[in-house]
């Protein structure tokens, strides 16, 4: 997902008799469905894990602007350009809501930004794939944002108040993203044979990278139990992935495109679709930094941060000068 | 120079006569920029017609530890709620 393989701090779920009284009270509050707020007591490992998870989620929103920003100047019409611009601006806003939520846990915005820039924190593997043509703008909005919605809708119920509130806001805006993407796909799939072929190609290329967004299979996912007990992870990776496949097949069929995986078949027993797993070696390789665009993405973020330094410093210096003049005048 | 922009808490009043409501926070060098950034971040879909910004360090908050004792006095005064009083139906609406 936008947060993948977040390392849960601590040594796993504690039995109740291993917990301190404070930890028991904390777990009881979560079990009752209460929200934890910034100034409430919380275990250090809950705080640390949340900073990692929300931080990674925020970084994904920000880095996620790059593959789509790539096509703003080359959108096919002025209207599509305005829509894409609005979508990419939303992603910046989503990053900001999430950084705001992370900051309530006692980390500064500059600190986690620098953790990303130095490679100490990650962002979603999906943004390390290139966007090769306009059809990718359709497929990204439809599939990547569609996958994100499935995860984020669940996270609206997460135990940490500021995170849950950021999710509510993000979910409202996210369905515009998925719909504008699907709209591009509808247009292309009903266009010339060449346009339809581009739509098919975008679907085929992005299908498995999108399935990887949900993170490794539950069998290999070591961080799930504690994060689920804390309600900062609401469903397992495989549950969310299945949900995504089940809702997307029908959407592919409506477009009149071929399914990107010949093994996708309705299973009458399980009442869901069977499908092929993505190549997990590729996933771990991309996470390690060897995807097609990892180097470019980090270079672009670092350049933006370095090039913007004089603006950040200049505006601060101006604000301080103005404040000093005001004090002097009083 | 290492100098992070201060954090501002943002309050927005919507169009329908409700009070300003806290919507989130952002960083800005001064109040004027905070208002402009809040416009871009928190009112992209006509969410508001008025923005307040308050530097986060200037917000004082009640402490979660005394939650029990602090709000207890209102728990024990149920007669402050109109439903405490049974009024016969014959009286009409009240």
């Amino acid at each position: 997902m936008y947060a993948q393989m977040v390392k849960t701090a601590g040594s796993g779920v504690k039995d109740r008799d291993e917990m301190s009284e404070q930890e028991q009270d904390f777990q009881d509050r979560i079990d009752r469905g209460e929200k934890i707020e910034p100034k409430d007591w919380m275990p250090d490992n809950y705080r640390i894990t949340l900073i990692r998870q929300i931080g990674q989620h925020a970084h994904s929103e920000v880095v996620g602007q790059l593959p789509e920003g790539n096509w703003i100047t080359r959108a096919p019409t002025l209207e599509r350009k305005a829509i894409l611009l609005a979508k990419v601006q939303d992603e910046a806003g989503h990053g900001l809501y999430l950084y705001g939520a992370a900051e309530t846990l006692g980390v500064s915005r500059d600190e986690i930004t620098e953790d990303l820039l130095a490679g100490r924190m990650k962002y979603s593997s999906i943004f390390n794939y290139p966007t090769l043509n306009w059809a990718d703008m359709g497929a990204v909005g439809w599939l990547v944002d569609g996958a994100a919605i499935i995860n984020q809708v669940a996270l609206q119920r997460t135990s940490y108040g500021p995170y849950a509130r950021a999710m509510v806001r993000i979910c409202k805006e996210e369905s515009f993203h998925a719909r504008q993407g699907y709209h591009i796909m509808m247009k292309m799939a009903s266009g010339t044979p060449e346009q339809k072929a581009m739509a098919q190609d975008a679907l085929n290329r992005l299908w498995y990278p999108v399935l990887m967004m949900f993170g490794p299979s539950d069998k290999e996912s070591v961080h799930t139990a504690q994060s689920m007990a804390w309600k900062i992870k609401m469903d397992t990776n495989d549950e969310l992935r299945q949900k995504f496949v089940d809702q997307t097949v029908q959407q592919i069929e409506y477009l009149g495109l071929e399914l990107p995986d010949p093994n996708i078949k309705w299973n009458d027993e399980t009442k869901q679709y069977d499908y092929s797993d993505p190549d997990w070696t590729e996933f771990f390789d991309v996470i390690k930094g060897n995807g097609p665009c990892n180097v470019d993405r980090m270079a672009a973020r670092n350049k933006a941060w370095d090039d913007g330094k004089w603006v950040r410093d200049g505006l601060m210096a101006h604000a301080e000068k103005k404040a000093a003049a005001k004090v002097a005048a009083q | 120079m290492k100098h992070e922009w201060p954090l501002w808490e943002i309050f927005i009043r919507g169009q329908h006569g409700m009070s300003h409501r806290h919507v989130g926070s952002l960083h800005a060098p001064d109040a004027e920029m905070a208002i402009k950034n809040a416009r871009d971040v928190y009112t992209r879909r006509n969410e508001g017609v008025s923005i307040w910004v308050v530097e986060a360090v200037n917000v004082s908050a009640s402490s979660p530890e005394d939650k029990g004792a602090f709000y207890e006095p209102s728990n024990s005064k149920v007669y402050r709620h109109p439903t405490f009083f049974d009024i016969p139906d014959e009286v009409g609406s009240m």
Side-chain angles (χ1 to χ4, degrees):
Chain A
M1 198 23 54
Y2 275 25
Q4 293 160 322
M5 300 187 65
V6 174
K7 192 174 173 311
T8 308
S11 47
V13 185
K14 284 187 186 173
D15 286 333
R16 204 170 168 82
D17 51 5
E18 295 174 298
M19 292 182 190
S20 69
E21 204 177 314
Q22 231 171 358
E23 287 171 325
Q24 289 180 1
D25 289 346
F26 177 81
Q27 189 61 50
D28 289 344
R29 291 189 61 199
I30 289 182
D31 293 343
R32 282 196 301 268
E34 285 179 29
K35 296 283 182 230
I36 308 302
E37 294 297 338
K39 291 175 84 185
D40 296 349
W41 184 86
M42 61 187 84
D44 283 344
N45 288 331
Y46 175 86
R47 182 189 301 276
I48 292 165
T49 308
L50 264 178
I51 291 173
R52 284 181 193 149
Q53 179 172 334
I54 301 174
Q56 194 187 116
H57 198 155
H59 296 329
S60 297
E61 301 284 356
V62 171
V63 178
Q65 293 177 99
L66 297 170
E68 290 182 303
N70 182 31
W71 282 91
I72 291 173
T73 55
R74 292 173 289 174
T77 67
L78 189 57
E79 186 185 54
R80 290 287 181 198
K81 181 175 180 164
I83 292 170
L84 186 59
L85 201 56
K87 196 237 181 218
V88 172
Q89 189 194 11
D90 274 355
E91 305 298 356
H94 294 181
L96 196 139
Y97 311 152
L98 286 159
Y99 284 128
E103 282 176 282
T104 63
L105 292 157
V107 65
S108 87
R109 170 87 166 267
D110 281 5
E111 265 169 351
I112 44 175
T113 302
E114 279 158 13
D115 280 344
L116 169 73
L117 298 177
R120 289 186 295 269
M121 283 179 89
K122 303 246 179 266
Y123 53 89
S124 175
S125 57
I126 188 70
F127 302 119
N128 290 314
Y129 290 85
T131 45
L132 302 179
N133 58 50
W134 181 252
D136 288 10
M137 292 304 95
V140 166
W142 166 38
L143 299 171
V144 175
D145 290 73
I149 289 171
I150 288 185
N151 181 51
Q152 292 173 159
V153 163
L155 281 174
Q156 292 181 103
R157 293 177 286 116
T158 188
S159 62
Y160 189 57
Y163 193 24
R165 291 190 283 273
M167 284 299 119
V168 170
R169 208 179 160 83
I170 287 176
C171 283
K172 271 191 207 154
E173 300 178 348
E174 204 85 75
S175 53
F176 147 56
H177 299 177
R179 280 166 171 240
Q180 66 84 34
Y182 194 68
H183 199 257
I184 292 174
M185 293 302 274
M186 289 192 329
K187 199 85 181 168
M188 295 197 77
S190 62
T192 63
E194 288 82 1
Q195 287 169 331
K196 190 170 179 182
M198 280 171 74
Q200 182 71 57
D201 166 66
L203 167 60
N204 293 351
R205 262 186 300 111
L206 285 163
W207 178 253
Y208 288 111
V210 168
L211 292 189
M212 292 176 198
M213 287 173 66
F214 297 95
S217 160
D218 295 346
K219 297 183 287 278
E220 296 182 46
S221 192
V222 285
H223 310 303
T224 300
Q226 176 64 80
S227 286
M228 287 186 85
W230 281 333
K231 291 194 189 162
I232 57 180
K233 189 177 174 113
M234 308 303 288
D235 302 272
T236 71
N237 297 348
D238 285 336
E239 284 165 359
L240 292 169
R241 188 166 18 246
Q242 183 69 53
K243 209 169 177 182
F244 173 77
V245 172
D246 288 346
Q247 83 170 35
T248 307
V249 170
Q250 188 188 350
Q251 298 166 359
I252 297 172
E253 286 167 348
Y254 180 84
L255 293 173
L257 298 179
E258 305 278 334
L259 295 174
D261 162 14
N263 292 326
I264 294 180
K265 289 208 174 65
W266 178 253
N267 184 328
D268 234 353
E269 260 168 56
T270 58
K271 300 285 172 213
Q272 56 194 24
Y273 285 96
D274 294 336
Y275 62 93
S276 311
D277 258 345
D279 175 2
W280 291 116
T281 343
E282 178 182 319
F283 170 74
F284 288 111
D285 209 34
V286 172
I287 290 278
K288 253 186 263 157
N290 303 320
C293 299
N294 297 56
V295 174
D296 289 352
R297 301 298 187 231
M298 288 310 291
R301 287 313 309 149
N302 272 288
K303 183 174 187 310
W305 180 250
D306 295 341
D307 288 356
K309 188 179 186 315
W310 70 272
V311 179
R312 295 192 300 276
D313 290 350
L315 285 173
M316 196 66 237
H318 177 68
E320 280 168 351
K321 205 167 112 184
K322 258 194 339 190
K326 201 172 157 193
V327 172
Q330 276 165 2
Chain B
M1 187 169 84
K2 174 87 196 161
H3 210 137
E4 193 167 341
W5 287 354
L7 188 69
W8 300 77
E9 298 300 333
I10 311 301
F11 301 80
I12 306 260
R13 177 158 56 74
Q15 316 188 21
H16 304 293
M18 306 296 280
S19 327
H20 284 78
R21 198 170 71 93
H22 183 244
V23 292
S25 52
L26 52 75
H27 288 273
D30 56 27
E32 195 188 331
M33 285 296 291
I35 290 174
K36 285 186 176 148
N37 290 350
R39 189 268 319 266
D40 291 344
V41 177
Y42 291 109
T43 67
R44 288 198 302 282
R45 289 176 176 76
N46 302 321
E47 289 93 335
V49 291
S50 168
I51 299 174
W52 286 351
V53 301
V54 180
E55 207 177 328
V57 293
N58 293 325
V59 174
S60 309
S62 63
S63 136
E65 284 82 42
D66 351 304
K67 210 174 350 187
F70 201 62
Y71 298 106
E72 199 284 326
S74 82
N75 280 336
S76 60
K77 295 176 181 61
V78 283
Y79 46 79
R80 282 185 165 154
H81 296 279
T83 47
F84 179 78
F85 305 93
D86 267 337
I87 304 290
D89 288 347
E90 298 91 289
V91 180
S93 71
M94 182 179 281

